[in-house]
Amino acid sequence: MPLEVLAGFENWAESTGRALYPHQKEAAEHIILEDRHLIAPTPTGSGKSLIGVAAILWALARGEVAYYTAPLKALVSEKFFDLVDLFGAQNVGMVTGDGSVNADAPIICATAEILANQALRWGEALDVGTVVMDEFHYYGEAERGWAWQAPLLTLPKTRFVLMSATLGDMSFLERDLERRTGREVAVLTSAKRPVPLEMAYRVEPVEKLLVELSHQDKLPAYLVHSSQRAAVEEAQRIASLNLDFGVTDSAREQLANELKTVKFTSAFGRALKPLLAKGIGIHHAGMLPRYRRLVERLAGAGLLKVISGTDTLGVGINVPIRTVIMTSLVKFDGNKERHLNAREFHQIAGRAGRAGFDTIGYVFALAPEWEVENALALARAKDPKKAKKKKAPEGRTTWSEGTFNRLVDSEPGALAPHWQINHAMVLNTLQRPGDQEANLRSLADDNHNVMRFGEEARGRFETTLAEILESLTVSGVISGAEQTGTATTLHSSEGTELSGTVPTFAKQEDATPNTLDEILAAGPFQLTAELPEGFALNQTLAPFALDYLGSFSSEQTAPPAGSDPSGFTEVLDIISVVEAVLDDPNGILRAQERSEKDRVFAELKAAGVDFDERKAALEKVTYPRPLEKELNAAFEIYTEANPWAKGFRLEPKSIVREMVETGATFTSYIARLGAPYTEGLLLRYLSDAWRALSQIVPEELRSVRFVEVMDWLSDTIRKIDSSLLDEWRFLEDPGLRFEETDSTSADELERAFGERPDGSFDWEANPAAAENALLKALMPWLEALGGDEFELLARMEKDQRALANATPAVTDPSGYASLRHPSPSPQATQQHPSPLATLIPEVEESGWDKQLGAYWDAHDFMDTGADGRNKRNFRLLTDPDEADFPRGYANPATPVGSDPSGSVANATTPPRLRSSAMPSLLEHCRDLGSASQHEVLQAERSDPPDNTDAKNLWLGELTLVDGEDDLDFALFIAVDPTVTLKPETEHSTETGAPSGLAPTPAWVPLGLFER
């Protein structure tokens, strides 16, 4: 059979018009005829993908499962579709952290971490005959290298093909792989680059070089930048120059047809579309997959002449190009700026030149901007000696032609191993079939770091493994077969007690740490039944999150009256706990901080705050970090009992929570942050958050509201980028690709959490969004109050009452479920305006004048700046009782003078505020000069509409900051959560000011009163 398979492979290659290169045939013989492992240090462009295809073909011929792994999801999806074209859709599946397609297929494309976790979980029992590890140089990555090492350590029956253009010396891995598997290893040494490279250093503007390349037929060119922002801005700048890159009319027509197949609904998409129409593309990891795949498809068809991107080009993405232009030889590695190393340089440079299309590939490195400007100034100067020269920026890393020549002549060094042990690896290994103790010991004792660096590495890993096992046992995640507990209490550094029963082997205070032998003696270990399915496969601090969430489920007290009977605040806090253990999406956090600073600065400026005060206030502004103090305090205690966690830190943040609280969609959130370059980053973060919430949150905390949030999050992720599912449909019916996309279909429109298909909100499902929207809406009222502008307040009140009275309400209380179903038919939806304007008496100008008079009699200052606008000053009570209302108000449900049995003193349960009771509650005297000494007048009630009988109105309270910490006055509002005031662009009838920019529940002011 081997000869037949090899012959079939060769014949197929010839039938495509591209016969195998000698090194490809040699590689196929090693794999198929000799059944060896293969290490393939093949130059970029030499066809290493076909070597992988040969290995997969051999696996299929033997009835085995084959895995093709890569470091990036974008590369995984690209290989997935390439293999689908070769082997058929039914034979190829894909698994990444974001989801899976056809996961039971015999060929699986996956990220390296997916296979690594499966290898640790199942070991040699894993059903995988062949693993093709593309871009194997990631083995040397400090953070992710363990994922390339784990399968080599745990899959002794599997055939491996390790491929990269920049492997370096692989003799150590060659010897170790043969020792572990008993299978011989072939090293491919005959591979030659089929398309040679010409490299040069140029001191000139990039646009001049591009025009020259166009005239010399050396396009398409890829411009490599050090940042995503620089890549986008340079593409836009080049497009604005209207340079002639030779895009033909036929190509323009093809581009127009292709652009109809993709929805350009986001801000970045709208910026990208006109660039693509000119034959200019953008490519970086921050793009949504649908845009990135489109760019790759257009480039593959030869329709793009210039692509501006980042070094994602260097990890195997198939963007065929003739010329690479490096705009910098410096990169920021997360800590500092540094020169590219030889491996990074050659990975990028090697992408130039396409086998079968080009005879030569071209690589240019541009001089730094200051050096280019000096050269231009020198060329313009009549007297070169008088030409003004710029210097390199101080404190920045720069480069020169010498840097370039050194990189050209350098070879990549040997790959260094970067093994690590974390709790997810331990949990996977605990469940592996076979000898549990031996499996666990192998994590610490049998890895490449120990082999390369000796006993010091072994001791470090054994200590880490012991601490993780101990902490998992103490926290109840695992238990030993014969484990008994003690009543000994552990303490934090501040003396705080750590509750819970501690296993007998657990480290006691001031005791010698337990050895790995002592801890393993308590085994074998088992996972607890309460552990969520798939728990902690991705987040190192997931055990802490689970431990902290235990305090939520143990609190059985009812929520305080008026606060949050739906438990929605707890859902938001659960989200915050899990977000704190996720990796920081730094680009989004920087955008959050920048956006918040811009908002605060604008508000303070509008309020007339002095510049120095505004500047000082901005220094305190950062991105939101909910529960930061509580989580950090709990984490300090946790690390006392879990020493392994001391090397990590929590990262409180609010992205999912902020989107929910502010009623944001994906697109509106990106727009508000002003961060179009981070769309892909946000999508990946939301996917990670959804997965972590699914894996960490215990069943008893998965309330109806929590499930609704998870449904919304999943729905958002799917709607923002379903390109992989779309591509799958296109494989079944290629004609679908060229159907013009309707980006406004109802079932594809994004919706905020709680938003209904008709644009109204279910505010009762999302009271946090209502609170945020109302706080923002009240800021102009705060300014008017602070300016003692009672005439303006009266006009604003008329406008607000008119809005509430005119807006129809959707009476079908379908809640979030309506997001998953078509909008109700007109016949099924009864509509009516909010009764607020009818039921709530108007304060009027004289009332505002007298109420403000009472405030100014008591205080001489009202803060309308940062402190006055702080979120902590506003509260929205969804179930208020009498104690929440201003002084002098009667029982919300009982008119003054009614039967004493209904009085507040005799009431056992605080009655709810109902619309039918509002007149008796809110009727107040407009003739008194003090809001704190008004009389409550009995008023005859009017019958409300039948469909509002059971409607509970909410109470909003904006406390005024008086500079004396009295906080004894507040602006009160009545809120109807069943009605949405939609954003309008028209100006109000009375004030001429915009009527609003964001949806809010219907509301009207009650007035300014003492609290």
Side-chain angles (χ1 to χ4, degrees), residues 302-448:
L303 298 175
L304 300 181
K305 296 297 184 180
V306 176
I307 303 171
S308 183
T310 60
D311 59 3
T312 53
L313 172 76
V315 290
I317 302 297
N318 186 24
V319 180
I321 50 178
R322 184 167 296 167
T323 299
V324 168
I325 302 174
M326 299 187 188
T327 63
S328 173
L329 297 178
V330 169
K331 70 178 294 183
F332 181 72
D333 63 7
N335 296 311
K336 64 182 185 305
E337 284 186 326
R338 62 168 177 80
H339 289 139
L340 298 176
N341 60 41
R343 178 168 282 111
E344 292 164 338
F345 176 82
H346 287 288
Q347 279 289 141
I348 298 170
R351 302 303 299 175
R354 302 165 297 176
F357 296 90
D358 303 321
T359 57
I360 298 176
Y362 303 93
V363 178
F364 297 96
L366 297 181
E369 186 176 345
W370 61 271
E371 187 178 344
V372 173
E373 292 180 3
N374 285 345
L376 293 175
L378 187 64
R380 289 192 299 264
K382 295 181 179 179
D383 184 354
K385 294 182 180 180
K386 295 183 179 180
K388 293 184 178 180
K389 291 186 177 182
K390 290 187 175 183
K391 295 182 178 180
E394 292 186 12
R396 300 293 301 275
T397 301
T398 188
W399 68 96
S400 65
E401 188 170 7
T403 310
F404 172 73
N405 292 331
R406 175 180 58 79
L407 289 170
V408 170
D409 295 336
S410 299
E411 294 291 335
L415 295 169
H418 290 280
W419 187 245
Q420 58 180 263
I421 301 176
N422 58 44
H423 74 280
M425 297 169 71
V426 173
L427 287 171
N428 276 317
T429 304
L430 280 167
Q431 301 173 80
R432 189 190 310 166
D435 187 332
Q436 186 186 82
E437 181 176 340
N439 291 338
L440 288 168
R441 286 189 184 277
S442 69
L443 281 177
D445 299 343
D446 188 18
N447 57 71
H448 294 165

Side-chain angles (χ1 to χ4, degrees), residues 579 582-596 622-625 651-655 658 669 673 675 678 681 685:
E579 286 200 88
L582 296 176
D583 293 336
D584 279 351
N586 291 315
I588 297 171
L589 298 182
R590 287 193 296 269
Q592 278 185 328
E593 184 169 311
R594 184 173 61 249
S595 175
E596 185 65 10
T622 183
Y623 57 85
R625 302 178 186 185
E651 301 289 354
K653 51 190 163 289
S654 180
I655 296 174
E658 187 175 59
Y669 190 66
L673 294 182
T678 64
L681 179 61
Y685 179 84

